[in-house]
């Protein structure tokens, strides 16, 4: 049994390199124990302290085009079993390149559900991130600065950072989350995989917004089921108008 420990913060290349080595050595899925790095020391924490067996043959890894976007999405999922699932799919694709077309296959069904969950989480991040302006120190001029807090289900910060850089290129901003952060200063986009603590984002504009919302809100038009379908209750606690 080979134990492979990964950081598991949405880095596709990390899993890809380990999977390639295992596939080249022809190690079957049931002989690999994929773990998160905090569960096992080192990048490759093999139980017998041995290295991977030598590769058997030098044929390059070839997969259907549909596998790459699927894998890149799934690797951002928060379920630790995603590594084993992806390798199992990779292993099976070497024998059946039509595998991903088999909708009734348990592995394919699970993979598609994970992909859907990550894509939905990514959509919610682009829709629900709210920036708050951070005042510049008195007497100092510069670009406007903003900060936002978001609580994703999966490791999607690096996946969506480019979207915010393109959308808000004219201002400096920081998006902090429990699963990492992204920062743009007008010249360089930086991401961190370190969990952030929720900042205090309350200010006087919250009460102004609550007053405005209270005046435009029409309870007769409220449809709870439709509203929660688009904005699940997990997001409400970060909205100043939610308690209204």
């Amino acid at each position: 049994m080979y134990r492979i420990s990964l950081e598991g913060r949405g880095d596709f290349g990390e899993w890809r390199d380990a999977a390639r080595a295992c596939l080249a050595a022809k190690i079957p899925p049931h002989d690999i124990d994929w773990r998160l790095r905090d569960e096992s020391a080192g990048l490759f924490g093999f139980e017998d302290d041995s290295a991977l067996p030598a590769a058997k043959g030098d044929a390059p890894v070839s997969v259907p085009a549909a596998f790459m976007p699927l894998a890149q999405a799934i690797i951002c999922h928060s379920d630790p079993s995603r590594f084993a699932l992806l390798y199992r799919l990779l292993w099976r694709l070497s024998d059946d390149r039509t595998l991903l077309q088999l909708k009734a296959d348990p592995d394919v069904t699970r993979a598609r559900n994970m992909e859907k969950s990550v894509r939905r989480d990514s959509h919610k991040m682009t829709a629900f991130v709210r920036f708050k302006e951070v005042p510049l120190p008195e007497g100092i001029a510069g670009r406007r600065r903003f900060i936002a807090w978001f609580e994703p289900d999966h490791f999607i910060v690096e996946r969506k950072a480019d979207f915010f850089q393109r959308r808000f290129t004219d201002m400096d901003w920081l998006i902090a989350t429990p699963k990492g952060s992204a920062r743009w200063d007008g010249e360089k986009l930086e991401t961190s995989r370190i969990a952030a603590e929720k900042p205090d984002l309350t200010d006087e504009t919250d009460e102004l917004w609550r007053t405005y919302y209270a005046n435009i809100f029409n309870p007769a038009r409220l449809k709870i089921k439709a509203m929660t379908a688009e904005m699940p209750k997990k997001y409400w606690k970060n909205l100043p108008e939610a308690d209204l």
Side-chain angles (χ1 to χ4, degrees):
M1 176 68 71
Y2 295 90
R3 178 178 298 166
I4 298 180
S5 179
L6 304 178
E7 184 181 8
R9 307 288 292 185
D11 183 354
F12 176 72
E14 177 190 42
W15 173 84
R16 178 199 58 210
D17 293 345
R20 278 178 175 172
C22 292
L23 199 64
K26 298 191 182 304
I27 302 176
H30 60 263
D31 282 343
I32 304 175
D33 178 16
W34 298 88
R35 296 197 176 191
L36 293 174
R37 188 168 297 167
D38 58 2
E39 297 175 354
S40 177
L43 175 59
F44 290 95
F46 303 110
E47 291 183 347
D48 58 1
D49 287 328
S50 64
L52 283 171
K56 300 177 181 179
D58 56 1
V61 178
S62 176
V63 295
F67 178 76
M68 290 302 291
L70 176 68
Q72 289 169 345
I74 292 175
I75 210 66
C76 297
H77 203 281
S78 56
D79 188 337
S81 68
R82 64 194 181 278
F83 309 124
L85 173 63
L86 283 175
Y87 186 72
R88 193 160 59 247
L89 287 173
L90 185 63
W91 179 269
R92 295 177 62 194
L93 281 168
S94 63
D95 292 326
D96 182 5
R97 291 181 64 85
T98 67
L99 173 63
L100 298 182
Q101 300 174 29
L102 305 179
K103 297 182 179 180
D105 184 271
D107 283 344
V108 174
T109 298
R110 189 176 175 203
R112 293 301 183 188
N113 287 337
M114 281 189 174
E115 177 190 34
K116 182 178 179 180
S117 181
V118 169
R119 293 191 184 283
R120 177 176 172 81
D121 202 32
S122 298
H123 168 69
K124 297 305 179 188
M125 182 173 183
T126 58
F128 297 150
V129 161
R130 288 191 176 184
F131 287 103
K132 287 290 190 74
E133 187 166 6
V134 179
L136 291 170
E138 187 175 353
I140 296 181
R143 284 162 52 97
R144 298 174 69 189
R145 303 183 303 172
F146 294 81
I147 187 171
W149 171 255
F150 186 70
E151 299 178 22
D153 292 326
H154 308 298
F155 298 100
I156 59 171
V157 174
E158 293 184 20
R159 182 180 178 87
K160 300 308 299 181
D162 286 344
F163 167 86
F164 290 96
Q165 186 270 321
R166 294 191 304 270
R167 184 77 176 271
F168 302 105
T169 188
D170 61 338
M171 66 188 201
D172 295 350
W173 50 259
L174 166 68
I175 301 175
T177 87
K179 288 181 166 59
S181 303
R183 181 193 302 272
W184 168 251
D185 64 1
E187 296 182 358
K188 185 178 181 180
L189 178 64
E190 296 180 330
T191 58
S192 169
R193 297 175 185 172
I194 300 174
E197 294 186 1
K198 184 177 180 179
D200 181 7
L201 299 179
T202 58
D203 58 29
E204 64 274 9
T205 62
D206 285 349
E207 192 56 38
L208 290 174
W209 168 245
R210 282 165 53 87
T211 300
Y212 170 75
Y213 187 84
N215 280 277
I216 66 168
F217 176 65
N218 182 356
R221 300 182 62 185
L222 180 62
K223 296 182 179 180
I224 295 293
K225 186 176 181 179
M227 182 173 67
T228 55
E230 179 60 29
M231 181 181 285
K233 289 186 177 180
K234 62 165 284 185
Y235 299 107
W236 292 14
K237 63 179 179 294
N238 294 320
L239 303 177
E241 72 276 16
D243 58 345
L244 295 177

